[in-house]
Amino acid sequence: MNRFSLYAIIFAFSSTGISIAQVKAPAAFGPTPSENQMRLQEMESYAFVHFSLNTYTDQSWGFGNEDVKLFNPEKADCRQWARICKEAGMRGIIITAKHHCGFCLWPSKYTEYSVKNAPWKNGKGDMVREMADACKEYGLKLGIYLSPWDRNSADYGKPKYITYFRNQLTELLTNYGPIFEVWFDGANGGDGYYGGANETRTIDRTTYYDWKNTYDLIHKLQPNCVIWNDGGDRGDLRWVGTEEGFVGETNWSLLNATGEVPWNMLHYGLENGNAWVPAEVNTSIRPEWFYHPNEDSKVKTVPQLMDLYYNSIGRNGTMLLNFPIMPNGLIHPNDEKAAYEFGQAVKESFSDNLAEKAKAKASNVRGNSKKFGADKAIDGRKDSYWTTNDTITKASLTLDFRKPIIFNRFLVQEYIRLGQRVKGFTVEVLVDGIWEEVAKATTIGYKRILRFPSVKATKVRFNITDSKSCPVISNIGIYNAPVFLHAPSIARNQSGEISISTDDIGPIFYYTLDSSEPTSNSKKYTIPIQTQGKIEVKAITYDPASGKSSPVSLEKFDISRKDWKIVGISDEKAYSVLDGNTSTIWHQRDGEKKPIDLVIDLGTEYNLCGFKYLPDQNKWSSGIITNYQFYVSADNKEWKLVSEGEFSNIKNNPLWQIKQFASEKARFIKFTALKNTSGDDVAGYAEVDVITR
Ligand code: FUL
């Protein structure tokens, strides 16, 4: 199209009486979002709630044989969940209607493994109904997590199970009002109860569910619902390849409609993909998805939740934050407090858009039309935008505040209904007559937020340095957001030295060893603290300039590992499993010989009641143990098996795995790796520890 045909001129008169030419909007470039995807993107943040039978067994995944009689949340109150999510600024809730164990939170007609046989409300309860009602009351949308993998069903793996799966989907999509998202977890197949068969069953994730017809069913029953699917056909959204709560800094909302989606595509999208598949960042407010009492002190703090916000919504993704439900049916007060304070912090950060008070000027305006002028990027409307002539792929927009203002955030949005275009941009500020670059980034998409140290400047210049086609910018925001200090990390090495650290610049730490809350009057940390035996350390980061403190970090250490010896292994590197440093990994390879044992002499006899294993944090490395046995011995000859089982979800969520057992006196431990995520003969360990009485 040439420049002259592009500008179809129609005469019109503006309110000032000056004749203006109306210029055609740019044509869409590449794939664009559907109305359903658009609606979801504008929701920005929504919650997950994880609740099932494994809430009662302290597991991450139920095996499928857990007793339905365990389910009795005597205080269950979905209105509490909805209120908390609303206070955190979320717009919807996705409930785990059925997790991998197969237990249904609604009285499904198609199975006995549901609330209808649980003591809760004498079998008359329906948690999905209560969730739907609570969402309605609080103005939230309802979403459904329905696990395709069902470790309870005798038919799982057979064609018959597909009818069962679709029957359940039909119940959920017809009886509970509008559903905004269905979530099909990618974990699928493996060991399970399967109606008593107790075996391993695998399926082909791409063909087994006949996704095309399953999707047709969803579209028919809930035309406004988006589909998240990590296990088969491309859905409307993509997983970002990690459950830690961040997507790539470069984040294209594009993939190819068919073909493989390796990790880098999940994380960064595909610059020239031919389908619109935006990123959804899912993570939990605690390390695990389900409730575990030992994580009550591990709830994400406000600075961590703000990082999550910037690394998801601030990087062109939506944010899906999980709340585990306690056995009594409520969200824990610690999670409630964090969610409330997070909601407040987001409001405080983004309530005053300083850009709206500025005068905007652009290097190029499409056809010099007022309709596409620079001020359209700061008018607070989502249906107007600043854009340039078609041939322009580099352009800048300057905001003039006419006096110095202080700020530390730059927010920008593309008008994605016309496609995602921008490939690179910088932000400069004018300080004392000199332009300085304060931030530089690649993609924008629906929303991008950049953080930088506070500056005092009179002007801001947003430079688009590269774009696939003419840039189309719907919104710019400048904010002076509060800065939150991160709680420090606390580690103990093998000799018992405690060190306290953080990534923040120039921090000061205060700590306590007597369970009291640390303040700036507590002991100041200068050098590593020598400790022995069981100890509880609490610490804060403190900024003397502002007088602000971080949230409190708490670490409980068991006996020190000073006298521990790794038996029968000459490789000195093996001691990295005891060094307290989570980034040093030791890999043990045993040729054809499986299983692989790690034997440790604790030096003295202890009353042992559990052990802890931290895998390699790089989920692609080999040797992440999924199935284990744990033995104890007094003499390194006679061994007693005290614990065995699986580390569920260890690849996607590589947390400390904590296993408890009935207490046993012993001096030697043997940790046996039976299976790993890489299917080879390697056992890898970041850390191994014990729990004593
Ligand atoms: C994972 C599951 O295996 C977890 O248990 C959890 O439900 C999470 C949201 O997805 O893949």
Side-chain angles (χ1 to χ4, degrees):
M1 186 185 312
N2 69 35
R3 203 193 283 192
F4 301 102
S5 64
L6 174 70
Y7 305 134
I9 297 173
I10 302 162
F11 290 103
F13 290 89
S14 72
S15 54
T16 57
I18 301 165
S19 149
I20 55 162
Q22 282 204 350
V23 176
K24 261 198 187 167
F29 186 91
T32 54
S34 66
E35 276 311 312
N36 286 352
Q37 288 169 320
M38 205 56 225
R39 219 177 297 117
L40 189 93
Q41 194 90 54
E42 287 175 352
M43 283 173 72
E44 295 197 354
S45 80
Y46 36 94
F48 242 152
V49 287
H50 270 65
F51 194 26
S52 190
L53 278 182
N54 36 316
T55 304
Y56 296 84
T57 54
D58 209 7
Q59 287 167 297
S60 322
W61 290 352
F63 193 71
N65 60 351
E66 292 74 21
D67 191 349
V68 284
K69 298 282 179 273
L70 291 172
F71 193 81
N72 195 11
E74 49 329 310
K75 291 190 178 152
D77 181 7
C78 294
R79 297 180 65 251
Q80 186 231 19
W81 315 352
R83 174 178 55 73
I84 291 169
C85 294
K86 184 87 184 180
E87 285 169 356
M90 314 198 127
R91 310 237 165 78
I93 302 183
I94 302 177
I95 183 170
T96 51
K98 177 177 92 169
H99 202 254
H100 308 324
C101 70
F103 177 73
C104 301
L105 290 183
W106 81 103
S108 172
K109 266 203 311 222
Y110 304 98
T111 179
E112 293 307 305
Y113 205 49
S114 87
V115 282
K116 74 183 175 201
N117 289 315
W120 179 57
K121 300 200 165 173
N122 293 320
K124 298 280 177 292
D126 180 344
M127 201 59 86
V128 179
R129 166 86 50 230
E130 295 193 10
M131 185 78 268
D133 291 346
C135 281
K136 211 167 165 191
E137 182 181 336
Y138 283 87
L140 298 167
K141 295 184 181 186
L142 176 68
I144 296 291
Y145 170 114
L146 182 70
S147 171
W149 185 22
D150 188 321
R151 296 173 108 182
N152 175 263
S153 168
D155 294 329
Y156 177 79
K158 305 176 188 161
K160 220 171 140 194
Y161 175 74
I162 303 309
T163 310
Y164 174 72
F165 180 65
R166 290 201 186 136
N167 281 338
Q168 294 200 320
L169 198 53
T170 304
E171 287 183 316
L172 291 164
L173 299 186
T174 40
N175 295 329
Y176 299 95
I179 302 298
F180 80 94
E181 178 169 341
V182 283
W183 219 89
F184 296 133
D185 205 311
N188 212 329
D191 301 345
Y193 173 69
Y194 305 127
N198 285 312
E199 59 189 12
T200 306
R201 292 188 184 172
T202 48
I203 49 103
D204 179 341
R205 306 194 316 164
T206 54
T207 54
Y208 180 56
Y209 294 90
D210 176 13
W211 286 118
K212 190 192 164 299
N213 284 309
T214 305
Y215 285 9
D216 285 350
L217 176 71
I218 299 167
H219 293 142
K220 191 177 94 199
L221 299 174
Q222 292 278 346
N224 296 332
C225 177
V226 290
I227 302 169
W228 187 97
N229 191 348
D230 175 44
D233 261 29
R234 202 119 318 156
D236 298 303
L237 298 164
R238 66 171 210 272
W239 185 45
V240 294
T242 167
E243 293 180 351
E244 279 176 55
F246 63 97
V247 64
E249 285 191 55
T250 295
N251 177 17
W252 293 100
S253 291
L254 306 174
L255 285 181
N256 279 336
T258 54
E260 277 297 293
V261 188
W263 187 83
N264 56 349
M265 271 192 223
L266 288 172
H267 206 55
Y268 304 110
L270 185 61
E271 183 174 329
N272 294 314
N274 57 21
W276 188 270
V277 192
E280 178 185 84
V281 178
N282 66 316
T283 193
S284 183
I285 196 159
R286 292 166 172 242
E288 263 281 6
W289 294 96
F290 282 92
Y291 178 77
H292 305 285
N294 63 19
E295 292 186 346
D296 287 351
S297 64
K298 297 282 170 219
V299 176
K300 286 195 171 74
T301 58
V302 170
Q304 289 174 311
L305 291 167
M306 286 309 291
D307 284 345
L308 164 67
Y309 184 92
Y310 288 111
N311 295 338
S312 55
I313 295 172
R315 289 186 183 174
N316 186 33
T318 55
M319 183 183 102
L320 171 52
L321 177 63
N322 176 62
F323 293 88
I325 306 300
M326 293 191 287
N328 70 0
L330 294 173
I331 292 175
H332 191 278
N334 292 358
D335 309 44
E336 175 175 1
K337 183 167 178 284
Y340 177 78
E341 290 174 356
F342 168 56
Q344 293 301 109
V346 172
K347 269 195 205 141
E348 204 189 327
S349 302
F350 300 106
S351 56
D352 187 15
N353 183 0
L354 302 168
E356 286 175 5
K357 295 169 195 137
K359 193 159 169 43
K361 197 164 180 266
S363 61
N364 181 287
V365 169
R366 190 175 185 81
N368 288 321
S369 163
K370 281 193 171 175
K371 188 172 168 199
F372 303 118
D375 56 326
K376 301 297 177 201
I378 52 169
D379 64 0
R381 295 176 61 140
K382 57 181 185 190
D383 57 351
S384 68
Y385 49 84
W386 159 58
T387 187
T388 67
N389 292 345
D390 276 343
T391 51
I392 303 284
T393 53
K394 288 183 176 51
S396 59
L397 185 149
T398 307
L399 295 172
D400 185 353
F401 303 103
R402 298 182 209 90
K403 58 173 194 215
I405 57 154
I406 298 174
F407 55 93
N408 55 13
R409 302 286 182 268
F410 180 82
L411 178 153
V412 57
Q413 297 185 267
E414 285 185 80
Y415 185 75
I416 54 169
R417 286 176 187 276
L418 295 180
Q420 187 180 356
R421 300 161 177 243
V422 175
K423 291 169 72 169
F425 68 100
T426 64
V427 180
E428 292 173 300
V429 297
L430 189 69
V431 181
D432 297 332
I434 297 170
W435 285 105
E436 287 170 20
E437 185 177 293
V438 289
K440 187 176 177 161
T442 52
T443 51
I444 297 177
Y446 171 72
K447 189 178 267 189
R448 187 72 202 267
I449 312 174
L450 302 183
R451 294 187 271 183
F452 42 87
S454 289
V455 284
K456 191 171 183 181
T458 50
K459 288 186 187 180
V460 174
R461 191 158 65 194
F462 163 50
N463 303 305
I464 294 162
T465 52
D466 197 7
S467 181
K468 287 179 172 178
S469 181
C470 63
V472 185
I473 303 299
S474 73
N475 185 30
I476 289 178
I478 305 275
Y479 301 92
N480 190 26
V483 175
F484 300 98
L485 290 173
H486 288 89
S489 313
I490 306 171
R492 175 155 86 165
N493 68 13
Q494 201 192 339
S495 63
E497 274 177 0
I498 306 264
S499 55
I500 303 177
S501 63
T502 169
D503 289 339
D504 293 342
I505 305 160
I508 296 182
F509 306 118
Y510 292 95
Y511 69 95
T512 62
L513 300 177
D514 62 1
S515 304
S516 63
E517 291 300 283
T519 67
S520 53
N521 295 323
S522 307
K523 270 203 132 144
K524 191 167 171 180
Y525 174 82
T526 44
I527 52 164
I529 315 149
Q530 186 60 53
T531 62
Q532 286 306 321
K534 286 195 179 205
I535 194 143
E536 183 174 311
V537 187
K538 287 185 176 176
I540 51 166
T541 311
Y542 179 74
D543 172 25
S546 62
K548 280 191 188 171
S549 307
S550 73
V552 176
S553 293
L554 162 66
E555 285 299 340
K556 291 181 184 169
F557 298 100
D558 211 288
I559 51 171
S560 109
R561 292 177 285 180
K562 198 160 170 242
D563 300 323
W564 292 23
K565 298 264 173 318
I566 296 179
V567 179
I569 294 194
S570 50
D571 185 357
E572 269 301 303
K573 281 201 199 117
Y575 281 87
S576 61
V577 313
L578 307 178
D579 67 1
N581 181 347
T582 54
S583 52
T584 54
I585 317 296
W586 180 59
H587 288 107
Q588 176 171 206
R589 182 182 290 271
D590 236 347
E592 283 308 295
K593 189 177 152 286
K594 278 190 201 169
I596 305 174
D597 295 332
L598 174 67
V599 177
I600 300 175
D601 176 359
L602 309 179
T604 322
E605 187 176 79
Y606 291 101
N607 225 331
L608 302 177
C609 59
F611 79 98
K612 289 162 71 177
Y613 162 59
L614 184 76
D616 192 337
Q617 299 298 288
N618 172 8
K619 64 196 247 179
W620 304 111
S621 72
S622 56
I624 296 176
I625 302 166
T626 54
N627 293 74
Y628 74 94
Q629 285 174 334
F630 194 84
Y631 299 83
V632 298
S633 164
D635 54 7
N636 192 16
K637 288 189 196 102
E638 298 267 311
W639 291 97
K640 179 169 181 188
L641 179 66
V642 286
S643 174
E644 68 180 321
E646 69 177 15
F647 301 127
S648 326
N649 206 23
I650 192 168
K651 182 170 177 182
N652 287 342
N653 206 6
L655 304 171
W656 273 104
Q657 307 293 314
I658 302 171
K659 299 286 177 183
Q660 311 225 324
F661 46 81
S663 128
E664 281 287 336
K665 282 208 166 82
R667 171 174 163 174
F668 295 86
I669 58 170
K670 180 159 75 182
F671 179 31
T672 302
L674 300 175
K675 274 195 209 167
N676 66 15
T677 53
S678 41
D680 52 21
D681 60 347
V682 179
Y685 322 79
E687 291 291 303
V688 173
D689 208 342
V690 295
I691 305 170
T692 63
R693 285 244 303 193

